[in-house]
């Protein structure tokens, strides 16, 4: 009876050792998998940081170009309408009422142009956001395709 009890304990110990070895193997596989996912995450995060930096540089470049173009456009308009032409137009006005009417018309035109500029800026921002989103989706798809090819 003592012999049977000893054999039963030895069998139980052997079974527990095998279970412990299997669990250690599972744990090691889990650590390796976690390390692989960490590496993939870090690689993608670096790609996103690089893409964001490149996008910021492109935006800054486009803003500088836009500023140059707007300054050039203002200079061109100023060159097209010399001061003497403006003075002649003002001199043609015969009364204060005509001057006031002209001023009101110019203010309305200015307000209309400012509204058109605001609308254009809003449309530009929306387009930029859409393109940025599309670029992000394309990068995600490319990353997933690369990941599928690497696995």
């Amino acid at each position: 009876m003592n012999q049977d009890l000893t054999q039963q304990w030895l069998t139980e110990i052997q079974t527990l050792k095998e279970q412990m070895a299997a669990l250690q193997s599972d744990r090691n596989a889990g650590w390796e998998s976690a390390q692989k996912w960490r590496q993939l995450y870090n690689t993608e995060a670096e790609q996103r940081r690089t893409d964001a930096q490149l996008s910021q540089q492109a935006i800054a470049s486009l803003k500088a170009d836009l500023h140059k173009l707007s300054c050039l456009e203002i200079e061109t308009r100023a060159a097209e309408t010399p001061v003497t032409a403006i003075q002649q137009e003002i001199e043609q006005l015969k009364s204060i009422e005509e001057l006031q009417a002209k001023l009101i018309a110019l203010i309305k035109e200015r307000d209309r142009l400012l509204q058109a500029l605001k609308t254009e800026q809003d449309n530009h921002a929306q387009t930029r956001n859409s393109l940025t989103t599309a670029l992000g989706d394309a990068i995600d798809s490319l990353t997933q395709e690369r990941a599928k090819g690497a696995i």
Side-chain angles (χ1 to χ4, degrees), residues 68-85:
K68 287 177 188 176
L69 289 174
S70 65
C71 288
L72 180 63
E73 185 177 328
I74 290 170
E75 290 172 5
T76 303
R77 284 186 187 160
E80 289 174 355
T81 311
V83 175
T84 55

Side-chain angles (χ1 to χ4, degrees), residues 54-71:
L54 291 173
S55 296
Q56 289 298 326
Q57 289 172 353
I59 288 169
S61 174
L62 289 172
K63 282 182 179 179
D65 290 346
L66 180 62
H67 181 70
K68 287 177 188 176
L69 289 174
S70 65
C71 288

